Amino acid sequence: MRYYCSLSDFNYLTYGKALLKSLIDQSSEPFVLYYLCIDDKTYEELVGYDSRLVPVQVDEVLAKYTNLSSYKDTSPYNAFCWSLASSFSLYLLEHEKLEDILYIDSDIFFYKDPKLVFDEISDKSIGIIRHRHNTSLSGDGEFNVGIVFFKNDAAGLACLKWWNDAVLLRKHPELSTQGDQKYLEGFVPRFGDNVCIIDETIAHGAPWNFRLYVYDYYNEDGTIIWGNKRQPLVFNHFSKFGYDDQGRISPDHGVYNIHTFNGAVYSIPQVTNMYLHYDKVLKNV
């Protein structure tokens, strides 16, 4: 059994439903997706939605962690939402006693079997992905919080607790420049060989790294070329996806113009098709 978790309020629930559909369509192994519902409307919508999805009310997690409750009371709403990736993952390992957990942002969509992610992680206790366009010199961070893996063992639990404490107690200000994300740079220095940087055998798309890929083989078998590697594009992160005032697809509302050549990357046929397909999925779910 594979264990995933994601979260959102009602405004982002359609993305979460699309994530679930992609997991159902691509997974070769049975799974459960635990979904943290930040508001009551989301919870009510998801109760009984699918047997593979377990909705969890945010108050259940808040009741277990006083630091999270304090953080909620003293932080902007978006910062509170960011803090929930580590808090919910910790809740599932400590209180649901799961053997491991793969946190996934709700606006991620899988095109290949998620087993490929676990195959690369192998026996490591922790897994993180690079942005691929950034180094640690960037305030956004070298790594992306889109997916993060923790095994429920000594190293995995210690790392997850370190991340959660760093976020909620506002430690390490040099790593606090992008919500909970830049803290991922603290994993390798502290937990060393227990950390897998999920980068060797799989690729992942996002507005910030589309320009780094060659798509010559994508229509043939779903692989891209990144540097000297040919890799399957396992998932795409539809960060900031939305619609303009006329209801047309707005891939990122211009947020990532510096990385997308002012939106030119969305004219790459393979990328265009990803976004058109995602739009159809969102409307269907």
Side-chain angles (χ1 to χ4, degrees):
M1 181 70 71
R2 296 299 186 187
Y3 300 105
Y4 307 113
C5 71
S6 191
L7 58 94
S8 77
D9 61 14
F10 194 76
N11 292 323
Y12 279 80
L13 180 55
T14 303
Y15 305 130
K17 289 181 176 179
L19 166 63
L20 174 63
K21 174 175 170 49
S22 73
L23 290 172
I24 292 171
D25 290 347
Q26 300 300 332
S27 295
S28 63
E29 302 172 305
F31 72 88
V32 176
L33 172 62
Y34 290 85
Y35 204 92
L36 184 63
C37 306
I38 303 177
D39 51 36
D40 291 340
K41 195 173 181 180
T42 301
Y43 182 76
E44 292 164 4
E45 177 75 13
L46 291 182
V47 170
Y49 182 77
D50 189 277
S51 60
R52 289 153 290 201
L53 186 145
V54 178
V56 179
Q57 292 178 299
V58 70
D59 286 347
E60 294 182 39
V61 181
L62 287 166
K64 298 293 185 182
Y65 300 110
T66 56
N67 285 341
L68 179 61
S69 296
S70 299
Y71 189 84
K72 178 179 182 291
D73 293 339
T74 58
S75 302
Y77 178 70
N78 61 347
F80 168 63
C81 293
W82 293 332
S83 74
L84 293 172
S86 59
S87 295
F88 190 37
S89 297
L90 185 61
Y91 170 85
L92 293 171
L93 295 192
E94 287 193 323
H95 298 284
E96 295 297 325
K97 306 299 183 183
L98 302 184
E99 61 190 52
D100 56 42
I101 193 69
L102 181 70
Y103 168 81
I104 312 172
D105 272 352
S106 61
D107 53 1
I108 279 176
F109 192 88
F110 280 83
Y111 298 102
K112 299 284 187 182
D113 195 337
K115 183 177 182 295
L116 296 171
V117 176
F118 294 102
D119 287 346
E120 179 156 343
I121 294 171
S122 186
D123 59 353
K124 301 287 187 179
S125 300
I126 303 143
I128 52 178
I129 59 169
R130 286 193 172 96
H131 275 112
R132 291 191 160 178
H133 74 295
N134 269 351
T135 69
S136 60
L137 298 176
S138 167
D140 291 336
E142 181 179 358
F143 302 99
N144 181 259
V145 79
I147 69 168
V148 191
F149 171 83
F150 298 98
K151 189 179 290 186
N152 198 351
D153 61 11
L157 203 54
C159 181
L160 179 51
K161 287 180 176 179
W162 178 87
W163 184 28
N164 189 237
D165 283 348
V167 174
L168 298 184
L169 301 179
R170 297 176 170 88
K171 297 180 178 180
H172 313 289
E174 74 280 5
L175 298 177
S176 65
T177 55
Q178 186 59 33
D180 62 342
Q181 182 165 267
K182 195 169 170 65
Y183 290 106
L184 303 184
E185 291 178 10
F187 288 10
V188 174
R190 290 167 176 81
F191 300 96
D193 290 340
N194 294 296
V195 182
C196 173
I197 298 175
I198 310 165
D199 226 27
E200 291 300 314
T201 63
I202 71 164
H204 42 88
W208 47 84
N209 63 30
F210 285 135
R211 72 186 191 277
L212 305 181
Y213 298 153
V214 176
Y215 298 89
D216 290 356
Y217 301 100
Y218 187 77
N219 292 340
E220 175 184 322
D221 59 8
T223 60
I224 56 88
I225 298 172
W226 176 51
N228 63 354
K229 297 178 181 179
R230 183 170 169 181
Q231 299 177 323
L233 196 146
V234 176
F235 62 85
N236 189 55
H237 195 160
F238 287 93
S239 181
K240 307 300 182 184
F241 180 94
Y243 301 90
D244 64 18
D245 293 339
Q246 286 73 48
R248 296 171 301 198
I249 294 172
S250 178
D252 64 20
H253 294 290
V255 173
Y256 299 114
N257 276 350
I258 191 173
H259 306 305
T260 65
F261 302 122
N262 291 321
V265 299
Y266 299 116
S267 296
I268 299 169
Q270 294 82 355
V271 176
T272 299
N273 288 335
M274 284 186 222
Y275 278 78
L276 291 174
H277 175 258
Y278 193 58
D279 170 58
K280 289 180 181 177
V281 172
L282 292 177
K283 289 173 178 175
N284 285 335
V285 300

